[in-house]
Amino acid sequence: EGAIVNSDVASIEDSTLSGNTGRNVGGIRNSGELVVRRSRLTGNVAQGASAIVGGILNSGGRLELESVAFEGNSSTGGAGVGALLNQLEGVVVGSDLEFRHNGPRPCEGVPFPCE
């Protein structure tokens, strides 16, 4: 995996996660309860045949995003999601989000636009 794996309760505030690389997820894999506030995810990469998402994978967890910027995150194979992927009936809520140059697709499975 990339930078952070959470399966419990966690909070990330006023942080930058940048330049992380993983086979499946570049930045964060969440299956617990995670709050990310006033933070940036930039240049995180998932690479290889099993690559899922460069930024954040919320896999059946609860993810709250507030004032978060996603820029230049990518996935080179597999699901091909750059910034944010929500799966397995996970819950994602977000406010004041910014998405730039994430790809090949910016997001999937979230209830808000990622353009």
Side-chain angles (χ1 to χ4, degrees):
E1 298 302 328
I4 296 171
V5 176
N6 177 58
S7 59
D8 200 356
V9 177
S11 177
I12 299 169
E13 297 186 15
D14 303 308
S15 297
T16 299
L17 279 76
S18 181
N20 298 288
T21 301
R23 256 191 317 191
N24 298 313
V25 178
I28 299 170
R29 177 188 287 264
N30 178 57
S31 60
E33 293 186 28
L34 178 63
V35 175
V36 182
R37 287 191 183 104
R38 300 176 309 275
S39 296
R40 297 173 37 92
L41 281 88
T42 63
N44 299 292
V45 178
Q47 59 187 14
S50 63
I52 299 171
V53 62
I56 299 177
L57 171 62
N58 186 55
S59 185
R62 184 178 194 292
L63 176 63
E64 180 181 330
L65 304 168
E66 180 185 321
S67 300
V68 178
F70 294 84
E71 185 169 359
N73 300 289
S74 64
S75 177
T76 62
V81 177
L84 178 58
L85 174 61
N86 183 46
Q87 64 181 18
L88 302 175
E89 299 184 26
V91 174
V92 177
V93 294
S95 63
D96 191 25
L97 305 177
E98 188 176 322
F99 296 91
R100 282 194 218 139
H101 310 295
N102 299 287
R105 294 181 323 225
C107 295
E108 187 174 303
V110 296
F112 44 77
C114 299
E115 302 297 326

